[in-house]
Each structure stands twice: as structure tokens, then as C-alpha cells.
Amino acid sequence: MADRRLQVFSAVAKHGSFTRAAEHLFMTQPAVTFQIKQLEEHFNTRLLERGHGKVSLTPAGEVVLAYADRILDLSEELESRVSELTDELGGTLSIGTSTTIAAYWLPKLLERFKHKYPRVIPRVVVGNSQLTEDRVAARELDLGLIEIVSEQPAIERFTAARDELLVICRPGHPLASKSRLTAHDLLDHAFITRDPGNAIRELAEQFFAAAGIGIDEVNVCAELGSLATVKYLVGEGIGFAIASFAAIQRDIREERLVSVPLEPKQYTPLEVIIPKDKFRSSLITTFAEHAVAELSVMAAALPERE
């Protein structure tokens, strides 16, 4: 219901870029530029300074942004309040999720939610856990599903479940025959790690640090953002990696990979996060409660490890 020009202006101001705002809003860059031009013509003044690839606010732009954010928040609250009177949840829900949760937990979670609330339109943005946490804290997303314990004061978190972390390697790899693996057991082998900001990368580094091993002492042979690529390279014998139990079920069943527990055992948390100071609609609350319950059920349904 809010003026689309204000939504676009707020996104450009917060992202500092027409391109990033367009990506966030699922618009083309020319469409974003047109909306900003219309808003500046409406106020008959320049609201943004463009230059050197960055965008900054003019004094008038700072005033407009302050009011735009208040108007957008009130508009969202109005939509939610009226929707709640119909006793049927509906509308768009912006969800951020880590790559592992998106691939192995989210599909069934969304399927069950859509069966209950068919008028809800989930809009999912996939990134690593740190990026998702930052976007929820900045109120760019309604809710996040991540694999790190958030300590940000702007975040309210709910722990849904946890998933064991395991070493994965190809059959025949020297590590494949072990029953348990300590950090020192891994030092002589090539390690395929994840991209910065990825929760499993952080947990792996903590695992080594707890054993007195700095990450610079580990034989890192690749840093990858895609778990599918990690598993492929592991299967080709390039190195070992650390992955969550849920993410490797099919690979283990089909004997493409071997998994070995860490010693001491390590776990990744499955966390549902929402902005602490954001108006909380019934839709956000309902999905958060659904996500916590479903993740707990799915985690409990994973096959027992020997």
C-alpha cells in the first residue's frame, strides 16, 4: 500500500547502490532509476548524490528517508492488522536462509507451511549465515534461518535443533577408515573449507582452535561457497571437508562419500531469528513458531548414527 517510490528510495539509500537495490527489490536498474527520478521531481530537489560508484544522501534525502521508513513500517503494520481480521494469513514473507538450510531443511518446511497457509507468498533469499544475520538485523528481511548462535542485540533468536558436524571424504581416503577424528588427525590432509561468513567454516575454525591449532597451520586447499561443489571435490579426492549430517544423507547412502565423527563431537545449531525491534505481524510470529517446531521434528527424524 505504501508509495512504491518510497520503497525504492529506502532500498537505494540503505544499500548505497542502484544495482544492489534493484537486486534486493527484484527490479531492473532502469526501473529503480525511474522511481528515484519521479520522487526527486515530486519534491523538486535532488535526494541522492551519485558519484564514484557510490550513492549518498543529500540533506533533503536524509529527511525523506527518515519519514519514508516510518511510513513503510506503518504501512506494513496496517496490512498485517487488517489481514489478521480475516483469520486467514496472507501476504509476502521475506525469509533469509543459509545455503545448507535452503537445500536440506527449507523445502519440506515451506511445503508444510504452504499447505496450512496457501495465501502466504514466501520470498527466500539464500546466503551464508553471517550475511543472513546482518540482513535480518538491518530489518531487510522479516526472518532468518541460520546455523550460528546470534549475539547481535538487534536480533531475537529461537533455537530449533542441532545437527552433527562430520568429516567427509571419498571412499579409500586415509581418513575413511577412522572411527573418530581429532583436530590433530586432520593436519596432514588437504582441507576444503567454506567461504567467509559461513557457519560451518566458523565452527571448523573453532574446532581447530580448541585443540591449539591456528587455521594458518591447517592445509587449506580450497574455499568454496557451494556445498555441492565441496562434495564434488571431496568425491574426486581433492581433500576432506566438514559438513552437517543432514546435508550428506544421500551421498552416504549411495556410497559416494564416507563420514567420520569429530572428537570431541561438534554440532551446528539451527536457529530462527527475527528483528527484535521490528513490528511483529501474526504472519512472522506464525512462521517463526512453525519453523522452530518443524526443524525440531525433522532433526529428530534423522537416522541414528552408529
Side-chain angles (χ1 to χ4, degrees):
M1 184 174 178
D3 191 323
R4 182 63 166 168
R5 295 173 300 179
L6 294 180
Q7 294 175 329
V8 172
F9 174 72
S10 176
V12 172
K14 289 173 181 174
H15 288 277
S17 161
F18 282 74
T19 301
R20 288 198 294 272
E23 292 171 352
H24 174 71
L25 296 168
F26 303 97
M27 297 172 63
T28 64
Q29 187 170 332
V32 169
T33 302
F34 177 74
Q35 294 285 345
I36 297 299
K37 182 174 181 292
Q38 281 203 325
L39 192 62
E40 289 182 327
E41 289 176 352
H42 174 81
F43 288 112
N44 195 30
T45 187
R46 184 175 291 276
L47 303 176
L48 297 168
E49 295 289 357
R50 294 89 156 165
H52 306 293
K54 301 190 78 174
V55 173
S56 60
L57 291 168
T58 66
E62 292 178 358
V63 172
V64 172
L65 179 62
Y67 279 93
D69 285 345
R70 289 163 62 185
I71 291 167
L72 293 171
D73 283 346
L74 285 171
S75 176
E76 180 181 345
E77 185 173 343
L78 172 61
E79 295 278 358
S80 297
R81 291 299 190 203
V82 173
S83 176
E84 287 166 12
L85 293 175
T86 68
D87 293 326
E88 183 180 359
L89 289 181
T92 300
L93 184 68
S94 298
I95 304 166
T97 176
S98 70
T99 51
T100 300
I101 291 178
Y104 301 98
W105 300 89
L106 188 64
K108 187 168 289 188
L109 191 156
L110 286 181
E111 175 199 357
R112 293 172 179 174
F113 191 78
K114 284 290 290 182
H115 279 307
K116 290 182 180 178
Y117 306 104
R119 292 182 59 242
V120 175
I121 303 172
R123 178 175 289 168
V124 177
V125 179
V126 179
N128 62 45
S129 287
Q130 187 60 61
L131 176 61
T132 300
E133 181 185 30
D134 291 342
R135 294 192 68 180
V136 171
R139 306 200 308 168
E140 296 173 3
L141 296 169
D142 295 321
L143 179 143
L145 306 173
I146 61 175
E147 299 167 89
I148 55 177
V149 176
S150 174
E151 301 294 345
Q152 290 205 38
I155 292 292
E156 185 170 354
R157 68 182 183 88
F158 307 91
T159 301
R162 66 178 189 172
D163 192 8
E164 186 175 358
L165 293 179
L166 304 165
V167 168
I168 55 173
C169 55
R170 72 177 296 177
H173 189 282
L175 297 175
S177 61
K178 305 294 184 181
S179 59
R180 293 283 188 274
L181 289 166
T182 67
H184 289 279
D185 292 332
L186 302 174
L187 280 180
D188 292 333
H189 303 277
F191 176 41
I192 302 170
T193 189
R194 303 299 299 277
D195 56 317
N198 183 282
I200 292 179
R201 175 187 173 121
E202 292 185 15
L203 292 167
E205 292 182 1
Q206 291 171 17
F207 173 70
F208 285 112
I213 300 170
I215 195 62
D216 58 328
E217 301 175 68
V218 179
N219 182 17
V220 174
C221 66
E223 296 184 2
L224 302 172
S226 164
L227 179 56
T229 306
V230 170
K231 292 194 291 185
Y232 177 81
L233 291 184
V234 168
E236 292 300 310
I238 303 300
F240 77 91
I242 294 175
S244 66
F245 184 42
I248 57 173
Q249 292 298 295
R250 183 173 180 180
D251 306 276
I252 300 302
R253 284 196 307 269
E254 297 178 358
E255 300 183 345
R256 289 195 298 268
L257 300 177
V258 172
S259 67
V260 184
L262 292 164
E263 181 62 46
K265 286 191 173 186
Q266 301 293 309
Y267 297 90
T268 180
L270 302 176
E271 301 269 312
V272 179
I273 59 172
I274 55 178
K276 185 173 290 185
D277 59 345
K278 185 180 177 66
F279 161 73
R280 191 172 306 168
S281 68
S282 178
L283 174 55
I284 294 172
T285 300
T286 301
F287 186 84
E289 292 173 349
H290 169 84
V292 170
E294 289 295 332
L295 288 172
S296 178
V297 169
M298 285 188 278
L302 287 173
E304 292 288 336
R305 284 196 47 76
E306 297 180 359

